[in-house]
Amino acid sequence: MQGNIKYIIVLILVFLASCAKRGTITGGIKDTIAPKMIYGVPDNYSKNFKGNVIKLNFDEYVKLKNVNKQLIVSPPMKKQLEILPYAASKTITIKIKDTLLPNTTYSLNFGNSIEDNNESNKLQQFKYVFSTGNYIDSLQLNTKVKDAIDKKVSSFVSVLLYDATQNYNDSIVYKDVPKYVTSTLDSLKFVKFENLKQGKYKLIALKDANGNNKFDPKTDKIGFQKDFITIPNDTVYEVELFKEELPFKGLKISQLSGSKIILGFEGNSKDAKISLKNKNSNVPFVVTSIPKKDSLNIWFKANKGDSLFVNVEKNKFKKQFALKIRDLKRDTLSFSTEFTTDLPLREQFAIIGSVPLSKFDVSKMKLINKDGIDIKFTTSYEETNQKLNFNFDKEPLEKYKLNIYPGAITDFYERKNDSLSYKFTTNNSSDYGNLRINLKNIKRLPVIVELTDKEGKIIASRYTEKETNINFDLIDPGLFTLRLIYDDNKNKVWDTGNFIEQRQAEEVIYYPKEIDVRANWDVEQEFDLK
């Protein structure tokens, strides 16, 4: 009996302890379900729509996020929709301020802009459709968007369909909105048109800077299908975005210093003809570029108070600019270098003048290695970049010293250099990698083969009219992107397209994977272009 009593007491104590055990309030299972529209007024996919207000009612409180950027209205309306409220609500109200077209199916795609108020669960690609006629158009078209030169495609690219009736002409993209519009939003490469009417259309893609569904060559990228598209159609059509090269145009000139004018321009300044005159006499000058800017430096020899006339001409553009020379401080002669200490084995040492250079006396220049032995070299001058190159056979793990004695260099204004001295070293060849590219199934020649880094900067480039085996030697280790350009006009650069001329950009093909170049490795890579 006593044993039974002890047993009962232990059971009671265990029970009481379990009752006193503390727990944590979890709040239940996390909500991961997106909001759901219960009904619309009028209902989704309504016909014979006559009103100007739409109400969408949801099963929980929702809020709108980036709706002005996410919402796609097709066909586009001239006046922007008013969408309320701005705070969380179970009802979204849409006010139409435009005159709707008769017998037309409208689609309002909210993208990912509708989400619940508590957990921000997104209602993916929610779409509200109505028709002003007695029929809902239901045809579709699939498209793919890519960039003509860059591997990465821009976000929020608009894809447009223009009605290719008898009144269609290519200038319509500059002044009128399309019949239908959709968007890649922030991540899509494949986009689908829905609720289309049967017919013939022009397919265009725009990276539309100001969001007006019209092409502005100064700010927008464009892509297009050359031939009209007939709907219904099961084909997936591809459009490649490119930035057009604007026609050359000189914009303005201004005096930057006592001996330098800057000319702003748009388009491509290559082969532009420039001349300077002071009354009836020609003024000596030199033109150089300004890196990463649409401007040119014009270095001149004229005096304070002179009136200069700058004539600029290229293709259809021709203009004379007038400028009275002010008394400003003149540019002094100085030098800089691209490589201050370490010189890559695949590069050449160069010095860059602060003003254009004109004469070079190599007898007053001396290049020696660490043992004091003279190294033979030649020089070449890039006038546009004001760069003097020193060309010589470099040895790995070597130390060099370049002495440029007074009077070795004369600038455009007949000034000479003071004594200059530069020291630089080279690394071991085993610090670099070598890449061999074997091109297969190439369609035509010539081609340009380029190696770029993750930012798209060109690290190495080769132009070939015959060879299909390309070597990139002494490359710094890293991950690289490989691409090939079919250089159809043989000018050794990639050429963009032009919409009015219906000319596509030159074809670019990317190797699908990154290439890993490692130190002291020889990488052989087959690039199949089939």
Coordinates of all heavy atoms in Angstrom, one line a residue, residues 72-82 95-101 106 108 172 175-179 181 210-214:
I72 N 0.5 48.4 -66.7 CA 0.5 48.4 -68.2 C -0.9 48.5 -68.7 O -1.7 47.6 -68.5 CB 1.2 47.2 -68.8 CG1 2.6 47.0 -68.2 CG2 1.3 47.3 -70.3 CD1 3.2 45.6 -68.5
V73 N -1.2 49.6 -69.4 CA -2.5 49.8 -69.9 C -2.4 49.6 -71.4 O -1.7 50.3 -72.1 CB -3.1 51.2 -69.6 CG1 -4.5 51.4 -70.2 CG2 -3.1 51.4 -68.1
S74 N -3.2 48.7 -72.0 CA -3.2 48.4 -73.4 C -4.6 48.2 -73.9 O -5.3 47.4 -73.4 CB -2.3 47.1 -73.7 OG -2.2 46.8 -75.0
P75 N -4.9 49.0 -75.0 CA -4.2 50.0 -75.7 C -3.9 51.2 -74.7 O -4.7 51.4 -73.8 CB -5.1 50.4 -76.8 CG -6.1 49.3 -77.0 CD -6.2 48.7 -75.7
P76 N -2.8 51.9 -75.0 CA -2.5 53.0 -74.1 C -3.5 54.1 -74.1 O -4.2 54.3 -75.1 CB -1.1 53.5 -74.7 CG -0.6 52.4 -75.5 CD -1.8 51.7 -76.0
M77 N -3.7 54.8 -73.0 CA -4.6 55.9 -72.9 C -3.8 57.2 -72.8 O -2.7 57.2 -72.2 CB -5.5 55.8 -71.6 CG -6.4 54.6 -71.6 SD -7.5 54.5 -70.2 CE -8.2 52.9 -70.3
K78 N -4.3 58.2 -73.4 CA -3.6 59.5 -73.5 C -3.5 60.2 -72.1 O -2.6 60.8 -71.7 CB -4.3 60.5 -74.5 CG -4.2 60.0 -75.9 CD -4.8 61.0 -76.9 CE -4.7 60.5 -78.3 NZ -5.3 61.4 -79.3
K79 N -4.6 60.0 -71.3 CA -4.7 60.5 -70.0 C -4.5 59.4 -68.9 O -5.1 58.4 -69.0 CB -6.0 61.3 -69.7 CG -6.2 62.5 -70.6 CD -7.5 63.1 -70.3 CE -7.7 64.3 -71.3 NZ -9.1 65.0 -71.0
Q80 N -3.6 59.7 -68.0 CA -3.3 58.7 -67.0 C -4.4 58.3 -66.1 O -5.2 59.2 -65.7 CB -2.1 59.2 -66.1 CG -1.5 58.1 -65.2 CD -0.2 58.6 -64.6 OE1 0.2 59.7 -64.8 NE2 0.4 57.8 -63.7
L81 N -4.6 57.0 -65.7 CA -5.6 56.6 -64.8 C -5.4 57.2 -63.4 O -4.2 57.3 -63.0 CB -5.6 55.1 -64.8 CG -6.0 54.3 -66.0 CD1 -5.8 52.8 -65.8 CD2 -7.4 54.6 -66.5
E82 N -6.4 57.4 -62.7 CA -6.4 57.8 -61.3 C -6.7 56.5 -60.5 O -7.8 56.0 -60.7 CB -7.3 58.9 -60.9 CG -7.2 59.4 -59.5 CD -8.1 60.5 -59.1 OE1 -8.8 61.0 -60.0 OE2 -8.1 60.9 -57.9
K95 N -10.2 55.3 -61.8 CA -11.0 56.3 -62.5 C -10.4 56.6 -63.9 O -9.2 56.9 -64.0 CB -11.0 57.6 -61.7 CG -11.8 57.5 -60.4 CD -11.9 58.8 -59.7 CE -12.6 58.7 -58.4 NZ -12.7 60.0 -57.6
I96 N -11.2 56.4 -65.0 CA -10.8 56.6 -66.3 C -11.1 58.0 -66.8 O -12.2 58.5 -66.7 CB -11.5 55.6 -67.3 CG1 -11.2 54.2 -66.8 CG2 -11.1 55.8 -68.7 CD1 -12.0 53.1 -67.6
K97 N -10.0 58.8 -67.2 CA -10.2 60.2 -67.6 C -10.1 60.4 -69.1 O -10.0 61.5 -69.5 CB -9.1 61.0 -66.8 CG -9.3 60.9 -65.3 CD -8.4 61.9 -64.6 CE -8.6 61.9 -63.1 NZ -7.8 62.9 -62.4
D98 N -10.0 59.3 -69.8 CA -9.8 59.3 -71.3 C -11.1 58.9 -72.0 O -11.9 58.2 -71.4 CB -8.7 58.5 -71.7 CG -8.0 59.0 -73.0 OD1 -8.5 59.9 -73.6 OD2 -6.9 58.5 -73.3
T99 N -11.2 59.2 -73.2 CA -12.4 58.7 -74.0 C -12.0 57.4 -74.6 O -11.0 57.3 -75.3 CB -12.7 59.7 -75.2 OG1 -13.1 61.0 -74.6 CG2 -13.9 59.2 -76.0
L100 N -12.7 56.3 -74.3 CA -12.4 55.0 -74.7 C -12.8 54.8 -76.2 O -13.8 55.3 -76.7 CB -13.1 54.0 -73.8 CG -12.7 54.0 -72.3 CD1 -13.5 53.0 -71.6 CD2 -11.2 53.8 -72.1
L101 N -12.0 53.9 -76.9 CA -12.3 53.6 -78.3 C -13.4 52.6 -78.4 O -13.6 51.8 -77.5 CB -11.0 53.0 -78.9 CG -9.8 53.9 -79.0 CD1 -8.6 53.1 -79.4 CD2 -10.0 55.1 -79.8
Y106 N -9.7 46.4 -73.7 CA -8.7 47.0 -72.9 C -8.2 46.0 -71.8 O -8.9 45.3 -71.2 CB -9.2 48.3 -72.2 CG -9.4 49.5 -73.1 CD1 -10.5 49.6 -73.8 CD2 -8.3 50.4 -73.2 CE1 -10.6 50.7 -74.7 CE2 -8.4 51.5 -74.1 CZ -9.6 51.6 -74.8 OH -9.7 52.7 -75.7
L108 N -5.7 46.0 -68.3 CA -5.0 46.7 -67.2 C -4.2 45.7 -66.5 O -4.7 44.9 -65.6 CB -5.9 47.4 -66.3 CG -6.5 48.8 -66.7 CD1 -7.2 48.7 -68.0 CD2 -7.4 49.4 -65.7
I172 N 5.5 57.0 -87.6 CA 4.5 57.0 -86.5 C 5.0 56.8 -85.2 O 4.5 57.2 -84.1 CB 3.4 56.0 -86.9 CG1 2.1 56.3 -86.2 CG2 3.9 54.6 -86.7 CD1 0.9 55.4 -86.7
K175 N 5.6 59.9 -83.0 CA 4.6 60.9 -82.7 C 3.3 60.3 -82.2 O 2.5 61.0 -81.5 CB 4.3 61.8 -83.9 CG 3.9 61.0 -85.2 CD 3.8 61.9 -86.4 CE 3.5 61.1 -87.6 NZ 3.4 62.0 -88.8
D176 N 3.0 59.0 -82.4 CA 1.8 58.4 -82.0 C 2.0 57.2 -81.1 O 3.1 56.5 -81.2 CB 1.0 57.9 -83.2 CG 0.4 59.1 -83.9 OD1 0.2 60.2 -83.3 OD2 0.1 59.0 -85.1
V177 N 1.1 56.9 -80.2 CA 1.2 55.7 -79.3 C 0.8 54.5 -80.1 O 0.0 54.6 -81.1 CB 0.3 55.9 -78.1 CG1 0.8 57.1 -77.2 CG2 -1.2 56.1 -78.4
P178 N 1.2 53.3 -79.6 CA 0.9 52.1 -80.4 C -0.6 51.6 -80.1 O -1.3 52.2 -79.3 CB 1.9 51.1 -79.8 CG 2.1 51.6 -78.4 CD 2.1 53.1 -78.5
K179 N -0.9 50.6 -80.9 CA -2.2 50.0 -80.7 C -2.2 49.1 -79.4 O -3.2 49.2 -78.6 CB -2.6 49.1 -81.9 CG -3.9 48.3 -81.8 CD -5.1 49.2 -81.9 CE -6.4 48.4 -82.0 NZ -7.6 49.2 -82.2
V181 N 0.4 47.5 -76.0 CA 1.7 47.6 -75.3 C 1.8 46.6 -74.2 O 0.8 46.3 -73.6 CB 1.9 49.1 -74.8 CG1 0.8 49.4 -73.8 CG2 3.2 49.2 -74.1
N210 N 11.2 58.4 -71.0 CA 10.2 59.2 -70.4 C 8.8 58.6 -70.3 O 7.9 59.2 -69.9 CB 10.1 60.6 -71.1 CG 9.8 60.4 -72.6 OD1 9.4 59.3 -73.0 ND2 10.0 61.5 -73.3
G211 N 8.7 57.3 -70.7 CA 7.5 56.5 -70.5 C 6.3 57.0 -71.3 O 5.1 56.8 -70.9
N212 N 6.5 57.6 -72.5 CA 5.4 58.1 -73.3 C 5.0 57.2 -74.4 O 4.2 57.6 -75.3 CB 5.6 59.6 -73.7 CG 6.8 59.6 -74.7 OD1 7.5 58.6 -74.9 ND2 7.1 60.8 -75.2
N213 N 5.7 56.1 -74.6 CA 5.4 55.1 -75.7 C 5.7 55.7 -77.0 O 5.0 55.3 -78.0 CB 4.0 54.6 -75.6 CG 3.7 53.7 -74.4 OD1 4.6 52.8 -74.1 ND2 2.6 53.9 -73.7
K214 N 6.6 56.7 -77.1 CA 7.0 57.3 -78.4 C 8.6 57.2 -78.4 O 9.2 57.4 -77.4 CB 6.5 58.7 -78.5 CG 5.0 58.8 -78.5 CD 4.6 60.3 -78.6 CE 3.1 60.4 -78.5 NZ 2.6 61.8 -78.4

